[in-house]
Amino acid sequence: MASSGGSAGREPYDEEAAAAPRRPLELDGRGDASSDHHRSGFIPRYQVGSSKVDTGDRYFDEWQKKLSNTDDVRKSKSGSRYFTVSGVDLSPDNLAVATVYFVQGVLGLARLAVNFYLKDDLHLDPAETAVISGFSSLPWLIKPLYGFISDSIPLFGYRRRSYLILSGFLGALSWSLMATVVDSKYGAAFSILLGSLSVAFSDVVVDSMVVERARGESQSTSGSLQSLCWGSSAFGGIVSAYFSGSLVDTYGVRFVFGVTAFLPLLTSAVAVLVNEHRLSSGERAMSHSGSGFVETSKQHVRQLWSSVKQPNIFLPTMFIFLWQATPKSDSAMFFFITNKLGFTPEFLGRVKLVTSIASLLGVGLYNYFLKAVPLRKIFLVTTIIGSALGMTQVLLVTGLNRQFGISDEWFSIGDSLIITVLSQASFMPVLVLAAKLCPPGMEATLFATLMSISNAGSVSGGLVGAGLTQLFGVTKDSFKNLPLLIVICNLSALLPLPLLGLLPEESGNADQGETKHN
């Protein structure tokens, strides 16, 4: 079924994400937004060769040098002894990163269970469901904080490993609560919030590792690494897709939450594969010392502000926010297809399987055909086509598809497949863009800032959609004005197009990932 907007990303509590494309058969939660993000889902990168920040502080320069020397994450070398996939070495370190993304995707196992739990067990309306979804996405709006903590405060001597381990344990706790004691909308919102926080923090850590590899590489090389990461997330979504519905049908939502509680522990397990040198006791003492930490904190904030306020970073980021902030009708459509059309959890699991495969196809489409295409052209074409296809939801709501001999089930599957491929293909360049914008020494913090702004746009769009749903009187039993809601949401996706000039005028043959821009 077509999406009600033109953006994509890992959903926040798939998360991630974000950021995942906007699909009417699912609630936007993470982005997952991913999301990022990842999640799903909700966002992309280019190299700015001249964007250097002068710290003007010898102490800070020496401290940054120490940090970079201790972070022993290495780029792949030619002639490596490891197998390669799309030009990326499958070293234990890269496998750890891919596994974390895989976990983000496989956490989609609980997404349908959450939707049905909010609708059937807690008896919430579409607008309430959309608000809880937006609330659970809040951890994705403060991702710079996690990046700052990871970059500046080593835990047990590590800046990456330890935080991945803790993130996994936090995620296991959140879904354990959903499986056992949660029995109200407030408890559900809090538990989902914890799960979202778990994925958001781990997402920041692995994103920073990916950015370190992407910096200085060509657009094609960095795009290949991004494709591997998001391909892993999409593969995780495929693994969990069908079972997400059949398990709800057979065993109920509590059982699905219990199974999901074990999945974040994979993140904790693979953290030991991260190739990171442990800081010595002296280096740890320096990082936690009063004067050293305060000085480093100040310099991080200054450098972050100096980077973000540059026009070649600020303007593209503004466009991405507006692109994500258009309203969505996803929650209302979920209630319609379950309450009105009678779609079962098992069937929705099949649709989720199709959209997960479509997401992977979208990654492949970008990786093999669109990496050299200018960003403006990608956004223009995919947004227009996506908005037009989104209007086909009106056919489903009014039943016109059956007059053409197409059943509701097949119409939903075909529509979802096409729009998801387009959404994921349009979202990949956003990720590549964001990674390339990050200067040395601020990878986690600046990338997290860009992703947070994108996620803020996605959350804003969800809340605006909830307001429109309430305004038009669309409830769990009344869908009279749903066609009008769908039309408005899809037309609004075209509003950011006049601002395409904010994006860089990128050359497809840019050497070393450099971007030509006005």
Side-chain angles (χ1 to χ4, degrees):
M1 189 177 308
S3 158
S4 60
S7 61
R10 290 175 285 174
E11 299 184 26
Y13 54 83
D14 172 8
E15 181 242 71
E16 207 31 67
R22 299 181 184 175
R23 307 173 200 139
L25 301 189
E26 304 174 9
L27 284 180
D28 278 357
R30 152 177 180 208
D32 301 187
S34 256
S35 297
D36 205 43
H37 28 338
H38 347 340
R39 130 85 301 265
S40 55
F42 295 329
I43 283 152
R45 331 184 173 188
Y46 68 100
Q47 181 73 22
V48 181
S50 60
S51 60
K52 297 180 180 179
V53 180
D54 182 11
T55 63
D57 192 307
R58 179 179 302 176
Y59 172 85
F60 181 66
D61 290 340
E62 294 175 353
W63 171 240
Q64 287 289 67
K65 184 177 180 180
K66 287 180 179 291
L67 285 181
S68 63
N69 288 338
T70 58
D71 193 3
D72 195 17
V73 179
R74 297 177 176 86
K75 297 178 182 177
S76 299
K77 304 293 184 181
S78 59
S80 170
R81 66 181 183 275
Y82 302 112
F83 294 105
T84 62
V85 174
S86 298
V88 179
D89 286 344
L90 294 183
S91 63
D93 193 56
N94 284 338
L95 283 176
V97 173
T99 301
V100 175
Y101 278 96
F102 170 79
V103 171
Q104 293 182 5
V106 82
L107 283 174
L109 179 69
R111 191 176 304 118
L112 276 178
V114 168
N115 295 348
F116 278 100
Y117 178 73
L118 297 177
K119 181 178 76 76
D120 296 333
D121 293 56
L122 299 183
H123 309 293
L124 303 184
D125 283 332
E128 290 180 299
T129 303
V131 170
I132 288 183
S133 176
F135 175 76
S136 66
S137 303
L138 291 179
W140 292 84
L141 306 187
I142 54 174
K143 286 179 68 177
L145 176 62
Y146 318 141
F148 173 76
I149 294 174
S150 175
D151 282 342
S152 304
I153 308 176
L155 192 61
F156 304 112
Y158 296 102
R159 296 191 292 127
R160 305 298 187 229
R161 283 188 189 178
S162 53
Y163 288 107
L164 287 178
I165 293 173
L166 287 180
S167 296
F169 286 140
L170 182 62
L173 172 63
S174 67
W175 291 111
S176 296
L177 292 176
M178 288 291 291
T180 54
V181 300
V182 171
D183 59 0
S184 68
K185 61 182 179 181
Y186 300 107
F190 176 74
S191 296
I192 297 172
L193 182 72
L194 287 183
S196 182
L197 174 62
S198 164
V199 182
F201 212 126
S202 64
D203 186 62
V204 169
V205 174
V206 293
D207 278 343
S208 67
M209 296 168 63
V210 171
V211 170
E212 288 163 350
R213 292 159 174 75
R215 188 180 62 244
E217 298 288 355
S218 66
Q219 179 179 341
S220 297
T221 301
S222 60
S224 296
L225 183 56
Q226 286 288 346
S227 297
L228 174 64
C229 295
W230 282 78
S232 298
S233 179
F235 179 67
I238 292 174
V239 170
S240 67
Y242 178 79
F243 295 103
S244 65
S246 60
L247 289 178
V248 170
D249 254 348
T250 306
Y251 299 104
V253 295
R254 297 281 189 180
F255 176 83
V256 175
F257 294 150
V259 173
T260 305
F262 289 96
L263 300 177
L265 297 178
L266 285 175
T267 298
S268 301
V270 300
V272 298
L273 299 179
V274 174
N275 189 7
E276 181 180 11
H277 173 69
R278 190 183 188 204
L279 299 180
S280 66
S281 58
E283 290 169 327
R284 276 181 281 171
M286 180 180 178
S287 66
H288 291 101
S289 64
S291 59
F293 176 73
V294 170
E295 185 64 25
T296 303
S297 301
K298 291 180 179 179
Q299 292 293 351
H300 265 81
V301 172
R302 292 170 187 166
Q303 189 175 11
L304 177 62
W305 172 244
S306 297
S307 298
V308 171
K309 72 179 183 180
Q310 295 180 64
N312 53 9
I313 295 179
F314 176 76
L315 295 180
T317 303
M318 178 185 297
F319 175 83
I320 296 302
F321 173 85
L322 296 174
W323 183 62
Q324 291 279 61
T326 53
K328 312 174 184 69
S329 59
D330 298 12
S331 295
M333 282 301 303
F334 177 79
F335 276 74
F336 175 80
I337 61 179
T338 53
N339 289 355
K340 189 73 173 179
L341 299 184
F343 286 1
T344 65
E346 183 177 6
F347 173 74
L348 293 181
R350 295 176 185 176
V351 176
K352 187 174 183 296
L353 175 62
V354 171
T355 55
S356 297
I357 295 174
S359 181
L360 192 59
L361 292 176
V363 173
L365 176 65
Y366 169 78
N367 195 38
Y368 291 103
F369 299 105
L370 301 179
K371 284 193 292 188
V373 178
L375 292 175
R376 296 181 187 179
K377 186 174 182 180
I378 293 177
F379 280 111
L380 176 63
V381 174
T382 57
T383 299
I384 292 176
I385 296 177
S387 178
L389 290 176
M391 295 295 183
T392 58
Q393 289 181 335
V394 176
L395 301 180
L396 184 66
V397 172
T398 57
L400 290 177
N401 58 290
R402 292 189 291 274
Q403 297 184 16
F404 294 101
I406 305 175
S407 68
D408 295 335
E409 290 80 5
W410 280 110
F411 186 88
S412 299
I413 290 175
D415 205 23
S416 296
L417 188 153
I418 296 173
I419 196 64
T420 302
V421 171
L422 286 174
S423 298
Q424 189 65 56
S426 66
F427 192 69
M428 286 302 300
V430 180
L431 296 169
V432 176
L433 172 62
K436 290 293 186 180
L437 287 172
C438 300
M442 292 292 291
E443 296 92 355
T445 308
L446 181 56
F447 184 79
T449 300
L450 301 179
M451 294 302 96
S452 293
I453 293 173
S454 173
N455 291 328
S458 182
V459 171
S460 299
L463 294 178
V464 173
L468 290 176
T469 301
Q470 186 74 24
L471 179 64
F472 292 140
V474 178
T475 67
K476 58 185 177 182
D477 301 313
S478 176
F479 305 101
K480 179 180 179 181
N481 293 325
L482 183 56
L484 178 60
L485 176 64
I486 293 172
V487 170
I488 291 177
C489 288
N490 279 280
L491 288 178
S492 68
L494 302 175
L495 294 178
L497 293 184
L499 302 177
L500 278 173
L502 299 179
L503 294 177
E505 185 64 52
E506 188 171 9
S507 171
N509 298 320
D511 188 26
Q512 295 298 314
E514 291 181 356
T515 304
K516 296 179 181 179
H517 53 280
N518 296 329

